[in-house]
Amino acid sequence: MPTRAEIDSLPLSPAHKARLLCRHNLVETTSGLAGDYVQANLIVLHSDYSNDFRMLCARNPVPCPILGWTPVGDPRKIIPTSPDVSVIEDSDFDIRTDVPYYHIFHTVDDDSYEGGKKVIIETKSNLLSTWTDNHIAFLIGCSFSFEQALTQSGLRVCHQEDSRTVAMYQTTIPLLPAGIFHGSTYVVSMRLYKPDEIEQVRDVTRPYSASHGEPVAWGWEGAKLIGVNDLGKVDYGDAQVVREGDVPVFWVCTFPPVSPHVEPHALFFMVADERIGLRRNTSIRSRKSA
Amino acid sequence: MPTRAEIDSLPLSPAHKARLLCRHNLVETTSGLAGDYVQANLIVLHSDYSNDFRMLCARNPVPCPILGWTPVGDPRKIIPTSPDVSVIEDSDFDIRTDVPYYHIFHTVDDDSYEGGKKVIIETKSNLLSTWTDNHIAFLIGCSFSFEQALTQSGLRVCHQEDSRTVAMYQTTIPLLPAGIFHGSTYVVSMRLYKPDEIEQVRDVTRPYSASHGEPVAWGWEGAKLIGVNDLGKVDYGDAQVVREGDVPVFWVCTFPPVSPHVEPHALFFMVADERIGLRRNTSIRSRKSA
C-alpha cells in the first residue's frame, strides 16, 4: 500500500491524488484536497428508486443539483448531466473506493419507534461488498466552490475563521415531494455577515447554480421565516461565534437522504458525507452563465 | 369586428379561435376554450429584469416552469424553452392583444405604506400602448392539464363540481430568491380528496412537470407544515365545501408576481391572470418523461 507522501509526489491531478488517498484509506475527509477541482456529494440508490430520485432533483434543483451519475451497476464510469462539462476519466476510477467513507442506511423493524421502523447507519471505508448490479450513484453539487469565491472576494467565511464545521439547520421548508421521496424539509448552512455585506454575498454566490447558488434567507426575520429560531441549536455541524452586528445568512444544502419523515422503503441510500474531487472548476464555470 | 359566432365557425384550431376571441375582447376568460391545447400564464417584464427572472424560474421550476418567451421587444413570436415542442405559429399572433386582459402593476410613492411604496394595478384589454422595445413576455405552465387528467382518471375536481374558483393560499414556503426577486412565498392551490385517493392523485399529476406536477403537501398535518391553518380563509379564489372525510391536497401554483415583500423596483410586471391557448397538449406530453 502506498503512503500519503508517495501519492502526493505522483505526477497526477490534485483530484486524482485525492481519489487515490481515499482509495487507500489515507484520509478521512477531502476538505482542502483536490485544489480548485469541484467536489461533489454522493448518493447511491437501488435503481428501482432512480426515476423518483431524478424527479426529486428536478423539482428541487437548488438543494440537489445532479452533476452526473453512473450507469446502473457500473461503479467505474460517470455520465455528466450536461455534455459540455468534463468528468472523471481516470481508468482506475471506482466510486466504491474513491470516497473517504460511506454511510449505509438500513431500515429495520423496531416497534419502539414511530411507524415501527428504525434507521440504522453503518459506516464503511468502501462499498466493494455492498454495491450490486442494481445500484446507481449520483454526484450532487456542493458548496465548496462558492466558499472559495467568497474568500476570493474578500468576504469572511466564519466557520473557516473559527476552525469549526459550518452550522447546519433543518428548516420548515418542505422539499417538493417526488414519488417515494416525501415528507422531508430543506437543510440550510449558515454563515454570518454584516447587513451591508449581504448584497455582495448574494451577488458572489448567485452564479454557482450547480452549488446551491445565492442564499434562501438572511437576517433575523429571514431565520424565523425558515424555522430557525435559535442559532445556537444546530442540527448538523458546529454552532458559530456570533459577533456584534452579525446577522445569519442561509444557503440551501443538499438534503440529508434520511429524515424521520421519509418513507422507510426509500432508505436504500448509501451516502458519504464527505466529498470527492470530481471535475475541474473551469468546466463548472462554463455552467455559470445561467 | 367579428362576432363570437363568426369566430367559432372559422376553420381554425381551438387555440387560434381562443386567441381571436381575446383579441376582439369577446371573452373574459379562456377557461374551457382552446380544447386540449395547453394554456399558459403570462408575465411581461422590462428586459433589465429578465436575467434575474430566468434565474428565479431555474431555482423555482415547480411554481414557475417557463414554456417559452418572446424575443425582446417582439410581441409576435414565441421561442419555446425546449426545441422539441411546437408553439404558436399563426402569422396574426400578438401577445399584446391575444390574452383576455392584462393587469399592469405600478409602484408609486406612498408614505402611508411600509417602505413608502404602494403597488397599484391597472387592468387593460390590450398592451398596444404599453409594450415597448424593451419588454419581454414569458409564458409559464399552468395546472389546466393536470385537472383534465384528474377528471379523466375518475378523480373529482372539487371546485369544478361546486362551480367555484379553485382555493388558493399564500404559504410560508419561501421562494428561492434570485437577484431582485426575493422575499416572496409560494402560493398553492387546494383540492379535496379522501385519504385513500391521495396516492392516485399524486401518481396522476406527477408526470405534468411543466404544469406544477404532483402535490407539495397533503392532509391536515401537511397543511400546517406549509402554513395553511384555516381552509376557509383563502387568499385567492373561493373557499371550498369540505365534505366529511375529505383532506386537503396542495399543489404549488405560479407565484403571484406582486407580493408586499418583493422589491418595488421589481414590479415591472404586466400580467394576465387568465390564460392563453398556447400549444398542443400532445407536444407537452413529450415533456412528461422526466
Side-chain angles (χ1 to χ4, degrees), chain A residues 231-259:
Chain A
L231 281 197
K233 289 191 185 160
V234 300
D235 291 298
Y236 314 94
D238 295 330
Q240 304 297 312
V241 181
V242 183
R243 297 180 172 87
E244 199 187 328
D246 279 352
V247 298
V249 178
F250 299 94
W251 279 264
V252 172
C253 264
T254 300
F255 49 86
V258 175
S259 130

mmCIF file of all heavy atoms in Angstrom, chain A residues 231-259:
data_model
loop_
_atom_site.group_PDB
_atom_site.id
_atom_site.type_symbol
_atom_site.label_atom_id
_atom_site.label_comp_id
_atom_site.label_asym_id
_atom_site.label_seq_id
_atom_site.Cartn_x
_atom_site.Cartn_y
_atom_site.Cartn_z
ATOM 1 N N LEU A 231 -29.966 30.177 16.792
ATOM 2 C CA LEU A 231 -28.738 29.854 16.034
ATOM 3 C C LEU A 231 -27.835 28.892 16.796
ATOM 4 O O LEU A 231 -27.044 28.161 16.192
ATOM 5 C CB LEU A 231 -27.942 31.134 15.739
ATOM 6 C CG LEU A 231 -28.377 32.034 14.600
ATOM 7 C CD1 LEU A 231 -27.243 32.977 14.224
ATOM 8 C CD2 LEU A 231 -28.821 31.239 13.371
ATOM 9 N N GLY A 232 -27.945 28.903 18.125
ATOM 10 C CA GLY A 232 -27.077 28.047 18.936
ATOM 11 C C GLY A 232 -27.444 26.573 18.846
ATOM 12 O O GLY A 232 -26.633 25.702 19.162
ATOM 13 N N LYS A 233 -28.670 26.300 18.414
ATOM 14 C CA LYS A 233 -29.119 24.903 18.333
ATOM 15 C C LYS A 233 -28.967 24.378 16.921
ATOM 16 O O LYS A 233 -29.914 24.387 16.131
ATOM 17 C CB LYS A 233 -30.590 24.799 18.753
ATOM 18 C CG LYS A 233 -30.808 25.005 20.246
ATOM 19 C CD LYS A 233 -32.231 24.619 20.627
ATOM 20 C CE LYS A 233 -32.500 24.938 22.092
ATOM 21 N NZ LYS A 233 -33.931 25.020 22.380
ATOM 22 N N VAL A 234 -27.775 23.904 16.596
ATOM 23 C CA VAL A 234 -27.553 23.390 15.240
ATOM 24 C C VAL A 234 -28.072 21.954 15.151
ATOM 25 O O VAL A 234 -28.105 21.231 16.143
ATOM 26 C CB VAL A 234 -26.057 23.428 14.852
ATOM 27 C CG1 VAL A 234 -25.527 24.852 14.887
ATOM 28 C CG2 VAL A 234 -25.228 22.519 15.736
ATOM 29 N N ASP A 235 -28.486 21.571 13.958
ATOM 30 C CA ASP A 235 -28.889 20.179 13.731
ATOM 31 C C ASP A 235 -27.721 19.345 13.204
ATOM 32 O O ASP A 235 -27.670 18.140 13.395
ATOM 33 C CB ASP A 235 -30.065 20.139 12.754
ATOM 34 C CG ASP A 235 -31.334 20.708 13.375
ATOM 35 O OD1 ASP A 235 -31.784 20.124 14.380
ATOM 36 O OD2 ASP A 235 -31.837 21.734 12.890
ATOM 37 N N TYR A 236 -26.804 19.997 12.496
ATOM 38 C CA TYR A 236 -25.601 19.334 11.977
ATOM 39 C C TYR A 236 -24.466 20.354 12.074
ATOM 40 O O TYR A 236 -24.691 21.566 12.029
ATOM 41 C CB TYR A 236 -25.781 18.902 10.523
ATOM 42 C CG TYR A 236 -27.088 18.209 10.247
ATOM 43 C CD1 TYR A 236 -28.194 18.933 9.785
ATOM 44 C CD2 TYR A 236 -27.242 16.840 10.462
ATOM 45 C CE1 TYR A 236 -29.414 18.312 9.549
ATOM 46 C CE2 TYR A 236 -28.452 16.211 10.234
ATOM 47 C CZ TYR A 236 -29.539 16.956 9.770
ATOM 48 O OH TYR A 236 -30.734 16.346 9.550
ATOM 49 N N GLY A 237 -23.245 19.882 12.144
ATOM 50 C CA GLY A 237 -22.108 20.804 12.212
ATOM 51 C C GLY A 237 -22.001 21.479 13.569
ATOM 52 O O GLY A 237 -22.559 21.002 14.567
ATOM 53 N N ASP A 238 -21.291 22.619 13.582
ATOM 54 C CA ASP A 238 -20.995 23.317 14.837
ATOM 55 C C ASP A 238 -21.737 24.650 14.924
ATOM 56 O O ASP A 238 -21.879 25.353 13.919
ATOM 57 C CB ASP A 238 -19.491 23.649 14.917
ATOM 58 C CG ASP A 238 -18.617 22.409 14.994
ATOM 59 O OD1 ASP A 238 -19.087 21.383 15.546
ATOM 60 O OD2 ASP A 238 -17.472 22.462 14.498
ATOM 61 N N ALA A 239 -22.127 25.024 16.140
ATOM 62 C CA ALA A 239 -22.631 26.386 16.356
ATOM 63 C C ALA A 239 -21.484 27.367 16.104
ATOM 64 O O ALA A 239 -20.308 27.035 16.297
ATOM 65 C CB ALA A 239 -23.158 26.527 17.775
ATOM 66 N N GLN A 240 -21.829 28.560 15.627
ATOM 67 C CA GLN A 240 -20.801 29.544 15.284
ATOM 68 C C GLN A 240 -20.735 30.666 16.323
ATOM 69 O O GLN A 240 -21.669 30.866 17.095
ATOM 70 C CB GLN A 240 -21.098 30.156 13.904
ATOM 71 C CG GLN A 240 -21.231 29.139 12.784
ATOM 72 C CD GLN A 240 -19.943 28.349 12.538
ATOM 73 O OE1 GLN A 240 -18.876 28.918 12.427
ATOM 74 N NE2 GLN A 240 -20.055 27.021 12.484
ATOM 75 N N VAL A 241 -19.622 31.382 16.316
ATOM 76 C CA VAL A 241 -19.466 32.567 17.165
ATOM 77 C C VAL A 241 -20.197 33.732 16.487
ATOM 78 O O VAL A 241 -19.853 34.109 15.361
ATOM 79 C CB VAL A 241 -17.968 32.929 17.301
ATOM 80 C CG1 VAL A 241 -17.806 34.146 18.211
ATOM 81 C CG2 VAL A 241 -17.172 31.740 17.796
ATOM 82 N N VAL A 242 -21.219 34.272 17.149
ATOM 83 C CA VAL A 242 -21.961 35.400 16.575
ATOM 84 C C VAL A 242 -21.400 36.692 17.163
ATOM 85 O O VAL A 242 -21.505 36.941 18.360
ATOM 86 C CB VAL A 242 -23.468 35.284 16.884
ATOM 87 C CG1 VAL A 242 -24.236 36.426 16.202
ATOM 88 C CG2 VAL A 242 -24.003 33.935 16.405
ATOM 89 N N ARG A 243 -20.763 37.491 16.321
ATOM 90 C CA ARG A 243 -20.157 38.753 16.785
ATOM 91 C C ARG A 243 -21.167 39.890 16.648
ATOM 92 O O ARG A 243 -22.132 39.786 15.870
ATOM 93 C CB ARG A 243 -18.891 39.028 15.977
ATOM 94 C CG ARG A 243 -17.827 37.935 16.189
ATOM 95 C CD ARG A 243 -16.552 38.163 15.406
ATOM 96 N NE ARG A 243 -15.513 37.198 15.806
ATOM 97 C CZ ARG A 243 -15.357 35.970 15.290
ATOM 98 N NH1 ARG A 243 -16.170 35.537 14.346
ATOM 99 N NH2 ARG A 243 -14.403 35.171 15.727
ATOM 100 N N GLU A 244 -20.943 40.968 17.377
ATOM 101 C CA GLU A 244 -21.906 42.080 17.396
ATOM 102 C C GLU A 244 -22.151 42.599 15.976
ATOM 103 O O GLU A 244 -21.201 42.842 15.228
ATOM 104 C CB GLU A 244 -21.387 43.217 18.279
ATOM 105 C CG GLU A 244 -22.503 44.162 18.699
ATOM 106 C CD GLU A 244 -21.962 45.379 19.442
ATOM 107 O OE1 GLU A 244 -20.931 45.241 20.134
ATOM 108 O OE2 GLU A 244 -22.563 46.459 19.294
ATOM 109 N N GLY A 245 -23.400 42.758 15.638
ATOM 110 C CA GLY A 245 -23.752 43.276 14.320
ATOM 111 C C GLY A 245 -23.880 42.207 13.249
ATOM 112 O O GLY A 245 -24.354 42.489 12.155
ATOM 113 N N ASP A 246 -23.429 40.979 13.565
ATOM 114 C CA ASP A 246 -23.573 39.883 12.589
ATOM 115 C C ASP A 246 -25.036 39.491 12.440
ATOM 116 O O ASP A 246 -25.783 39.468 13.432
ATOM 117 C CB ASP A 246 -22.836 38.624 13.078
ATOM 118 C CG ASP A 246 -21.345 38.664 12.815
ATOM 119 O OD1 ASP A 246 -20.883 39.585 12.116
ATOM 120 O OD2 ASP A 246 -20.646 37.766 13.327
ATOM 121 N N VAL A 247 -25.415 39.158 11.218
ATOM 122 C CA VAL A 247 -26.727 38.530 11.025
ATOM 123 C C VAL A 247 -26.515 37.238 10.240
ATOM 124 O O VAL A 247 -25.553 37.109 9.478
ATOM 125 C CB VAL A 247 -27.737 39.442 10.276
ATOM 126 C CG1 VAL A 247 -28.008 40.718 11.070
ATOM 127 C CG2 VAL A 247 -27.258 39.761 8.872
ATOM 128 N N PRO A 248 -27.399 36.267 10.426
ATOM 129 C CA PRO A 248 -27.214 34.995 9.736
ATOM 130 C C PRO A 248 -27.659 35.064 8.275
ATOM 131 O O PRO A 248 -28.606 35.773 7.938
ATOM 132 C CB PRO A 248 -28.114 34.037 10.514
ATOM 133 C CG PRO A 248 -29.197 34.903 11.073
ATOM 134 C CD PRO A 248 -28.566 36.238 11.339
ATOM 135 N N VAL A 249 -26.927 34.340 7.434
ATOM 136 C CA VAL A 249 -27.279 34.199 6.018
ATOM 137 C C VAL A 249 -27.340 32.698 5.747
ATOM 138 O O VAL A 249 -26.418 31.964 6.116
ATOM 139 C CB VAL A 249 -26.236 34.899 5.120
ATOM 140 C CG1 VAL A 249 -26.576 34.710 3.650
ATOM 141 C CG2 VAL A 249 -26.144 36.386 5.457
ATOM 142 N N PHE A 250 -28.426 32.256 5.130
ATOM 143 C CA PHE A 250 -28.680 30.821 4.995
ATOM 144 C C PHE A 250 -28.666 30.383 3.534
ATOM 145 O O PHE A 250 -29.363 30.972 2.708
ATOM 146 C CB PHE A 250 -30.054 30.471 5.569
ATOM 147 C CG PHE A 250 -30.195 30.780 7.028
ATOM 148 C CD1 PHE A 250 -30.745 31.996 7.448
ATOM 149 C CD2 PHE A 250 -29.775 29.876 7.989
ATOM 150 C CE1 PHE A 250 -30.874 32.294 8.794
ATOM 151 C CE2 PHE A 250 -29.898 30.161 9.339
ATOM 152 C CZ PHE A 250 -30.448 31.377 9.744
ATOM 153 N N TRP A 251 -27.910 29.329 3.263
ATOM 154 C CA TRP A 251 -27.916 28.718 1.933
ATOM 155 C C TRP A 251 -28.568 27.343 2.020
ATOM 156 O O TRP A 251 -28.379 26.621 3.012
ATOM 157 C CB TRP A 251 -26.492 28.517 1.432
ATOM 158 C CG TRP A 251 -25.849 29.725 0.852
ATOM 159 C CD1 TRP A 251 -25.787 30.071 -0.471
ATOM 160 C CD2 TRP A 251 -25.154 30.755 1.556
ATOM 161 N NE1 TRP A 251 -25.108 31.255 -0.617
ATOM 162 C CE2 TRP A 251 -24.704 31.696 0.603
ATOM 163 C CE3 TRP A 251 -24.870 30.992 2.911
ATOM 164 C CZ2 TRP A 251 -23.985 32.833 0.952
ATOM 165 C CZ3 TRP A 251 -24.163 32.123 3.258
ATOM 166 C CH2 TRP A 251 -23.728 33.030 2.292
ATOM 167 N N VAL A 252 -29.250 26.973 0.978
ATOM 168 C CA VAL A 252 -29.788 25.627 0.895
ATOM 169 C C VAL A 252 -28.625 24.644 0.783
ATOM 170 O O VAL A 252 -27.629 24.918 0.126
ATOM 171 C CB VAL A 252 -30.714 25.511 -0.330
ATOM 172 C CG1 VAL A 252 -31.147 24.084 -0.557
ATOM 173 C CG2 VAL A 252 -31.924 26.435 -0.159
ATOM 174 N N CYS A 253 -28.752 23.527 1.465
ATOM 175 C CA CYS A 253 -27.773 22.427 1.425
ATOM 176 C C CYS A 253 -28.382 21.243 0.693
ATOM 177 O O CYS A 253 -29.597 21.128 0.637
ATOM 178 C CB CYS A 253 -27.552 21.888 2.836
ATOM 179 S SG CYS A 253 -26.188 22.519 3.734
ATOM 180 N N THR A 254 -27.534 20.339 0.253
ATOM 181 C CA THR A 254 -28.060 19.058 -0.187
ATOM 182 C C THR A 254 -28.756 18.421 1.008
ATOM 183 O O THR A 254 -28.193 18.345 2.091
ATOM 184 C CB THR A 254 -26.928 18.147 -0.680
ATOM 185 O OG1 THR A 254 -26.294 18.800 -1.774
ATOM 186 C CG2 THR A 254 -27.491 16.811 -1.137
ATOM 187 N N PHE A 255 -29.984 18.022 0.803
ATOM 188 C CA PHE A 255 -30.767 17.458 1.908
ATOM 189 C C PHE A 255 -30.149 16.160 2.370
ATOM 190 O O PHE A 255 -29.581 15.418 1.585
ATOM 191 C CB PHE A 255 -32.201 17.219 1.445
ATOM 192 C CG PHE A 255 -32.277 16.491 0.145
ATOM 193 C CD1 PHE A 255 -32.248 15.114 0.091
ATOM 194 C CD2 PHE A 255 -32.334 17.199 -1.049
ATOM 195 C CE1 PHE A 255 -32.306 14.457 -1.118
ATOM 196 C CE2 PHE A 255 -32.390 16.542 -2.261
ATOM 197 C CZ PHE A 255 -32.366 15.159 -2.289
ATOM 198 N N PRO A 256 -30.296 15.886 3.648
ATOM 199 C CA PRO A 256 -29.807 14.587 4.103
ATOM 200 C C PRO A 256 -30.748 13.533 3.567
ATOM 201 O O PRO A 256 -31.950 13.748 3.505
ATOM 202 C CB PRO A 256 -29.910 14.696 5.618
ATOM 203 C CG PRO A 256 -31.034 15.648 5.844
ATOM 204 C CD PRO A 256 -31.050 16.597 4.673
ATOM 205 N N PRO A 257 -30.224 12.451 3.125
ATOM 206 C CA PRO A 257 -31.082 11.446 2.494
ATOM 207 C C PRO A 257 -32.040 10.804 3.466
ATOM 208 O O PRO A 257 -33.066 10.307 3.089
ATOM 209 C CB PRO A 257 -30.080 10.423 1.976
ATOM 210 C CG PRO A 257 -28.877 10.609 2.838
ATOM 211 C CD PRO A 257 -28.827 12.059 3.193
ATOM 212 N N VAL A 258 -31.711 10.847 4.738
ATOM 213 C CA VAL A 258 -32.575 10.193 5.703
ATOM 214 C C VAL A 258 -33.193 11.248 6.606
ATOM 215 O O VAL A 258 -32.506 12.087 7.158
ATOM 216 C CB VAL A 258 -31.783 9.204 6.568
ATOM 217 C CG1 VAL A 258 -32.688 8.640 7.651
ATOM 218 C CG2 VAL A 258 -31.255 8.097 5.705
ATOM 219 N N SER A 259 -34.470 11.195 6.708
ATOM 220 C CA SER A 259 -35.182 12.063 7.618
ATOM 221 C C SER A 259 -36.215 11.179 8.278
ATOM 222 O O SER A 259 -36.664 10.196 7.697
ATOM 223 C CB SER A 259 -35.821 13.196 6.824
ATOM 224 O OG SER A 259 -37.174 13.320 7.154
#
